[in-house]
Amino acid sequence: MLQEKLDLLIRKYDVGVKAEMKGRAAVVIDGREYPLQPHRFERRFTEIRKMLHDGTVTGVSAVRCGHVAPANVPLAALIGRELDLCRFFTGHEIVGVTAFIRDGRAATLLAEMDDGVVCSLEIANTLPAGAEHIDKHEIITARGLVCDRVVDTQIPQQSIYLYAGTNEAYTDVDFELYGLSAAEVAAVRCAFALAKDEGLREEALSSKATMDRLTACALESAKSGKRVSVN
C-alpha cells in the first residue's frame, strides 16, 4: 500500500525518478538508499515547528516529550525519534544528554540545547504488541503552551469510531492518501519529498547520522549515570 501511494504521487506530479520504499525505514531513489524520518513530515509536528518559527509564539523555555510504544518497538529507536523531534521543533542542536533507563523498557532523559533550552523526555515500550502509540509533545514559551494534543487528552483521538462489535477507528489526514494511518502518510510524504528534492536527500543522511549519534550518547549516559556531551 505504501509503495502504491508513493507511485501515485510520483505519477501525479511527474517526478522523474524511480523510488522504492523499504517499509517506513528507507526509500531507494535511483539505486541509492536514503533513511526516512517520517516524524519530520507528520502534520502536527510541522505545525508546531511553524508556530515556533513564524512568530506565533516566542521565548521557548522548555520542551516536554512523552511517548509510550508497543513492546516490539526498540527503546533506542524511540529515544532517537524524540531527541530528533526536539531538534526539529526548535531548530537548535543538542549539546548534552543525561539519561536513565530502567530494565531496558523505560527511559527518562534531559537534553540540553545550544541555546540553553532544556528538553525533558519520558519514553517507554511497555504497551502490548500491536497497540497504538501514545505520545504527547509540549513546548513552553513566553506566550503560552504549544501542544500537539487537545488539553487533557491522554489517549490519541480518532475521527470516526465503528461500533459494530469491533474496535475499528479511522482518521484520514491527507486527501491524496486516503486509507493510510497518520504514521503511514508521514512515511509516504517523507519518501516523496526526498524523491522530489536531491538536496533534501543529503540532508536526510546528515540528519539520520546526527540522530544515531544522539541515541548513542543517551545510551552511554544511561550506562555511566553521567551527562554526556554531544560532539
Side-chain angles (χ1 to χ4, degrees), residues 38-131:
H39 51 272
R40 287 177 167 246
F41 291 82
E42 196 165 336
R43 181 65 180 270
R44 59 189 171 122
F45 297 146
T46 60
E47 289 299 319
I48 286 178
R49 177 182 171 86
K50 181 180 178 181
M51 285 190 286
L52 295 183
H53 293 270
D54 68 1
T56 301
V57 294
T58 58
V60 175
S61 60
V63 178
R64 299 191 298 195
C65 303
H67 192 158
V68 185
N72 59 312
V73 179
L75 188 66
L78 297 173
I79 289 173
R81 175 186 188 269
E82 297 303 320
L83 288 173
D84 188 62
L85 277 174
C86 293
R87 297 176 59 237
F88 179 68
F89 290 149
T90 64
H92 288 274
E93 295 299 326
I94 295 173
V95 296
V97 180
T98 305
F100 304 92
I101 298 178
R102 179 181 176 85
D103 300 329
R105 301 292 305 280
T108 301
L109 301 91
L110 290 176
E112 305 161 43
M113 311 300 291
D114 58 14
D115 62 345
V117 170
V118 175
C119 307
S120 61
L121 303 89
E122 296 180 350
I123 302 167
N125 60 350
T126 51
L127 295 177

Side-chain angles (χ1 to χ4, degrees), residues 44 133-137 147-153 156-157:
R44 59 189 171 122
H133 290 239
I134 299 173
D135 64 352
K136 189 173 185 178
H137 302 81
C147 186
D148 63 339
R149 300 291 184 193
V150 177
V151 175
D152 292 334
T153 295
Q157 297 173 330

